[in-house]
Amino acid sequence: MTREAIIERLAKLDTCAVSDGMDRLGLKGATFGVRPMWPCPKIVRRAITMKIKPVGLDKSKQHLGTQAIVAANPGDIIVIDNGGRPDTSCWGGLLSLAALTKGISGVVIDGACRDVDESREVGFPVYARAAVPMTARSRVMEESCNREIEFAGVQVHPGDLVIADGSGIVIIPRAKEEEVVREAEAVTATEARMAEGIREGMSVLEVLERLGYEQMLTRNSRSSQSRWCRMPWIVWEFTGSAWAFNPSLRVVRRRAGRSP
Amino acid sequence: MTREAIIERLAKLDTCAVSDGMDRLGLKGATFGVRPMWPCPKIVRRAITMKIKPVGLDKSKQHLGTQAIVAANPGDIIVIDNGGRPDTSCWGGLLSLAALTKGISGVVIDGACRDVDESREVGFPVYARAAVPMTARSRVMEESCNREIEFAGVQVHPGDLVIADGSGIVIIPRAKEEEVVREAEAVTATEARMAEGIREGMSVLEVLERLGYEQMLTRNSRSSQSRWCRMPWIVWEFTGSAWAFNPSLRVVRRRAGRSP
Amino acid sequence: MTREAIIERLAKLDTCAVSDGMDRLGLKGATFGVRPMWPCPKIVRRAITMKIKPVGLDKSKQHLGTQAIVAANPGDIIVIDNGGRPDTSCWGGLLSLAALTKGISGVVIDGACRDVDESREVGFPVYARAAVPMTARSRVMEESCNREIEFAGVQVHPGDLVIADGSGIVIIPRAKEEEVVREAEAVTATEARMAEGIREGMSVLEVLERLGYEQMLTRNSRSSQSRWCRMPWIVWEFTGSAWAFNPSLRVVRRRAGRSP
């Protein structure tokens, strides 16, 4: 499995932070309606795409999905465009097994899958709109493999980055991945500071308003944010109480004990 | 956390019994389509309401949800009206953390949430229509806090009682809560007697027809129901068999053994 | 509980294989949209049907579902046609308890249920479109019991075979059950061979194309398939490597070790 620094950085984030990062850059990549078919782990990798269409007078000459599995590098994620169609599967247990054997990370489907129980048993992550028993055979066929597709309203190209977790799926265009991941890392760092503030007893108003969360996604305010770095609390005693000041959180708190 | 007798009584019931209690009184309070986002526990408390609207020329001046968290009493449930909108979150992980810290019982959303995994990790109950990665920021904003809202077709006022579990969510208007809980308790007691009858071997026809379950929700029949109280079985031997009669279940049964 | 050979054979299959078997025979039986309401086990048995309609000027004279429970043989599955209606339950906790006591295998509902938590607690399998708190009483009533119904687009007669699992529900007409199960067994056997091939290191192309999976559902190709039977690998050494040939998989593989 190729190790790419950008993927290792992305793997530390989640879909919400990445969606925010794309918002900051004015990019469209977040989707909704495609969700984990079993309580499967987050997956983060590059896209192998495939497009499905209904069978017509021309019939399928090969099994749907095999081209994608053959074309995939270990770790890749197969991204399937079946236009959200709910009444026929375009992924099943044998493909899960074959993809797993190839080292593929998972599949995300704008449509339905089947053999959910089998995929769970072998531990292969499947994200889809729904599960159905009906096979693809004689109903739908592969239109293309590894060309541009549409996934739940988002344009996807082969090699784009994909991240999928319990909140949904986000596609990051390859040409923008460095920027998106950088922005998403900034969002994540800011939210971590905020979570810390809340855990330390700051009110939600202090945290969300004073720390400027609402403005977090506007690029103009980023210069000030980039100055933030988490500093230690400065504690002193005053009129018999312990006080603490944190320069990065820009807040003073009185504490009963001595350490804030 | 304020301890209210009515809440402690309500906490022993479930949404189905409460829905039945409201049916008896001709009240509208049960909703469908909003469900637990993780296998979270039942929540029962008073409503803090908030209404969300799309961002337009006027933008949000503060982070959505902070007013509600600040206004909430420990134990309250935040009830969010986003008109069922599926494509943008109006609740996330930081709000879950802040609400949990404040002692808030949970949130119910006529719309979508995000950061499901985080909410599960901190153990904060979130009921919603769906999960999405897209933030509320620059998409939707708070229109009001703690005013009348609509939740999945039901009118909700601040301070109304809320009960949410695996079957859905029911809102109880404050002015009717005493009556509703009393009716729901009667439903629950009747169903408990019926379940007991079934477990003791009565046929479903005996239980559901003879015990008048079908008529249970009509107020006219309640006078007779209120006379029901679970009495012990009276057992006697007759023609070599053991017989049992239960006055409250109004049924005679023959048993192989001596105790019914 | 009556033991029928056909049911014991069907119990070894899953909905996907049965759906494929019906495809082969040109029969319509697979449905989508009705799914397990808790992580309940697969159920496989004969149908007791019931049809629900809205309450009008004529009201229900008996509790919905009791006729079906009384009519059912131990092991049967109750199949409910409420036309997919999402806003009112047609199955609840007391019925689950009564059905379980009667030895009924489960219920599948083209509509909504309630008391999901209770059904899970007593271990009674419930498949439905959704859960709601609203009772059937004074909203819907039984139109018929054990007559022909429509279930999610499929015609169902009393006594038809039903199979339900994580991928959905399939109905098998009684007159065709022998043929359907035979075809589904053939599909399952073929897929098992393919899975074995994949686990043994064959490429997905070899397995899915060479083994003719794509053509698997056309009856014309079955004659050749029926000749397949899994034979042992024949291993020999050649130019210093170990080679293996499998007549039933029709493939030669080179292996590093001696056994394929």
Side-chain angles (χ1 to χ4, degrees), chain A residues 140-151:
Chain A
V140 294
M141 58 186 287
E142 209 167 298
E143 180 175 326
S144 69
C145 177
N146 245 3
R147 303 232 178 119
E148 180 190 317
I149 60 168
E150 177 183 335
F151 183 85

Side-chain angles (χ1 to χ4, degrees), chain A residues 94 97-98 101, chain C residues 189-208 211 230 233 246 248-249 251 253 255 260:
Chain A
L94 277 176
L97 182 62
T101 307
Chain C
T190 303
E191 293 199 355
R193 279 197 299 275
M194 288 170 160
E196 195 181 355
I198 290 168
R199 282 199 198 87
E200 279 169 351
M202 289 172 66
S203 87
V204 65
L205 264 179
E206 281 176 313
V207 170
L208 295 183
L211 301 191
R230 189 69 177 84
W233 290 82
N246 189 296
S248 63
L249 292 171
V251 60
R253 299 196 58 77
R255 290 297 175 87

Side-chain angles (χ1 to χ4, degrees), chain A residues 14-17 19-20 23 28 30-33 35 165-170 187 191 194-196 198-199 204-205 208-209 213-217, chain B residues 35 60-67 69-70 86-88 94-95 97-98 101 113-118 122 131-135 137-140:
Chain A
D14 62 28
T15 55
C16 299
S19 174
D20 289 358
D23 276 357
K28 167 78 181 144
T31 68
F32 68 97
R35 57 200 172 73
D165 63 21
S167 296
I169 291 158
V170 188
V187 168
E191 293 199 354
M194 288 169 159
E196 195 181 355
I198 290 169
R199 281 199 198 87
V204 65
L205 264 179
L208 295 183
E209 305 306 329
Y213 187 69
E214 181 59 30
Q215 281 71 44
M216 198 167 75
L217 297 197
Chain B
R35 58 200 172 74
S60 177
K61 283 180 195 61
Q62 67 171 171
H63 191 286
L64 169 166
T66 51
Q67 274 197 81
I69 293 175
V70 169
D87 65 344
T88 184
L94 276 176
L95 290 174
L97 182 61
T101 307
C113 67
R114 64 177 196 164
D115 296 323
V116 173
D117 303 330
E118 280 180 46
V122 301
V132 297
M134 298 84 152
T135 183
R137 282 186 301 274
S138 79
R139 292 188 177 87
V140 293

Side-chain angles (χ1 to χ4, degrees), chain A residues 54 98 127 155 249 260:
Chain A
Y127 290 74
Q155 219 182 73
L249 292 172

Side-chain angles (χ1 to χ4, degrees), chain C residues 7-137:
Chain C
I7 289 174
E8 292 182 9
R9 286 164 62 198
L10 183 58
K12 291 177 187 141
L13 307 174
D14 61 28
T15 55
C16 299
V18 174
S19 174
D20 289 358
M22 297 192 75
D23 276 357
R24 283 191 183 196
L25 297 164
L27 298 171
K28 167 78 180 144
T31 68
F32 67 97
V34 180
R35 57 199 172 75
M37 287 291 100
W38 55 276
C40 52
K42 177 172 73 176
I43 52 175
V44 175
R45 280 284 167 162
R46 297 209 177 275
I48 293 284
T49 62
M50 67 193 249
K51 182 161 170 44
I52 307 297
K53 66 174 183 184
V55 163
L57 292 184
D58 54 327
K59 296 283 190 296
S60 177
K61 284 180 194 61
Q62 67 170 172
H63 191 286
L64 169 164
T66 50
Q67 274 197 81
I69 293 175
V70 169
N73 288 312
D76 281 349
I77 293 173
I78 294 178
V79 183
I80 304 180
D81 169 9
N82 195 18
R85 183 170 168 174
D87 65 344
T88 184
S89 165
C90 46
W91 190 268
L94 277 176
L95 290 175
S96 280
L97 182 62
L100 187 75
T101 307
K102 182 81 187 271
I104 289 167
S105 292
V107 61
V108 298
I109 306 165
D110 187 9
C113 67
R114 64 177 197 164
D115 295 323
V116 173
D117 303 330
E118 280 179 46
S119 295
R120 181 177 46 222
E121 275 159 30
V122 300
F124 185 74
V126 178
Y127 290 74
R129 290 198 182 273
V132 297
M134 298 84 151
T135 183
R137 282 187 300 275

Side-chain angles (χ1 to χ4, degrees), chain A residues 11 49 190:
Chain A
T49 61
T190 302

